[in-house]
Amino acid sequence: MQISKMELGEEHIVEELAREIWFETYADILSIGQIIYMLNKYLSKEAVARGIKEDNYEYFLLKEDDIYIGFYAVRHESDRLFLSKAYIVKDSRGKGYFKKIMDNVFENLRRKEKSVYLTVNKNNDAKDKYLSIGFDIIDEVKSDIGGGYVMDDYIMEITREKYENIKDKKSI
């Protein structure tokens, strides 16, 4: 698998992957209306470009045999990194690609950043994956995202030190 930083002009790749992944991943958790609302708000071509230009997000594309299989996005903050999105298409899950994402995330931490954190829907099975690799639930948050929708998430975090100590011992 190859990981490359997404360039402006490639936002359509994220949008297409997100539509495929979200309907499959969230259909049992969220209403179709909320999925569509969130895709348009956070993962449309326009939203991705705006996130890069205005909010300092960086997007990375995952590719296997010249086929895009996923993406992730990060934002550097004062002392930690926000892993905003991390998605892999269904047929490519369970092949060790998530470990490669996490290795890449930690390799690109800036000197001052001591940890990586993320938010995950409380009903999403991905939280179990994060827990299994050493993330801790540090808080809960309910966010009104507009359109009459609310996100009900855990905030999870892992330190650089903890990841380094377990990354070679666990199957991620």
Side-chain angles (χ1 to χ4, degrees), residues 123-171:
N123 297 309
N124 188 333
D125 292 340
K127 76 178 173 311
D128 299 326
K129 182 69 161 177
Y130 295 126
L131 288 168
S132 76
I133 64 167
F135 275 83
D136 296 307
I137 295 172
I138 61 168
D139 207 349
E140 299 178 16
V141 63
K142 286 188 181 180
S143 306
D144 182 343
I145 59 170
Y149 299 112
V150 173
M151 292 192 313
D152 189 12
D153 295 335
Y154 288 121
I155 300 173
M156 303 180 80
E157 184 175 44
I158 187 170
T159 63
R160 178 195 312 246
E161 181 180 357
K162 186 173 184 182
Y163 186 75
E164 290 299 322
N165 286 335
I166 65 167
K167 76 174 187 174
D168 296 324
K169 298 174 188 163
K170 293 217 176 217
S171 174

Side-chain angles (χ1 to χ4, degrees), residues 4 15 35 45 55 120 139 165 172:
S4 61
E15 181 179 64
I35 293 170
K45 294 180 291 191
D55 298 321
V120 62
D139 207 349
N165 286 335
I172 301 176

Side-chain angles (χ1 to χ4, degrees), residues 16-123:
E16 291 166 14
L17 284 166
R19 290 194 180 282
E20 175 185 346
I21 294 166
W22 271 56
F23 282 106
E24 178 264 319
T25 301
Y26 293 108
D28 293 336
I29 300 171
L30 306 173
S31 70
I32 296 299
Q34 184 168 353
I35 293 170
I36 292 168
Y37 178 82
M38 292 179 72
L39 284 169
N40 290 333
K41 183 172 178 111
Y42 300 113
L43 289 163
S44 66
K45 294 180 291 191
E46 298 78 14
V48 170
R50 189 171 44 257
I52 293 168
K53 293 175 187 174
E54 297 174 11
D55 298 321
N56 298 317
Y57 281 96
E58 295 177 292
Y59 280 78
F60 295 85
L61 300 172
L62 315 177
K63 208 175 194 184
E64 185 66 42
D65 299 325
D66 292 326
I67 297 171
Y68 291 104
I69 61 166
F71 66 95
Y72 71 94
V74 298
R75 184 181 68 225
H76 295 274
E77 296 182 356
S78 61
D79 63 347
R80 60 187 186 166
L81 182 93
F82 178 46
L83 178 58
S84 173
K85 298 155 184 70
Y87 296 105
I88 299 172
V89 296
K90 186 176 184 176
D91 291 344
S92 294
R93 292 181 201 146
K95 297 181 179 182
Y97 296 148
F98 186 70
K99 181 181 185 321
K100 290 181 181 182
I101 291 172
M102 292 306 300
D103 287 348
N104 196 57
V105 165
F106 275 93
E107 285 170 18
N108 288 299
L109 282 184
R110 295 180 178 158
R111 178 170 285 220
K112 63 186 176 183
E113 295 166 337
K114 309 245 184 295
S115 66
V116 173
Y117 81 102
L118 55 86
T119 58
V120 62
N121 183 290
K122 289 180 180 177
N123 297 309

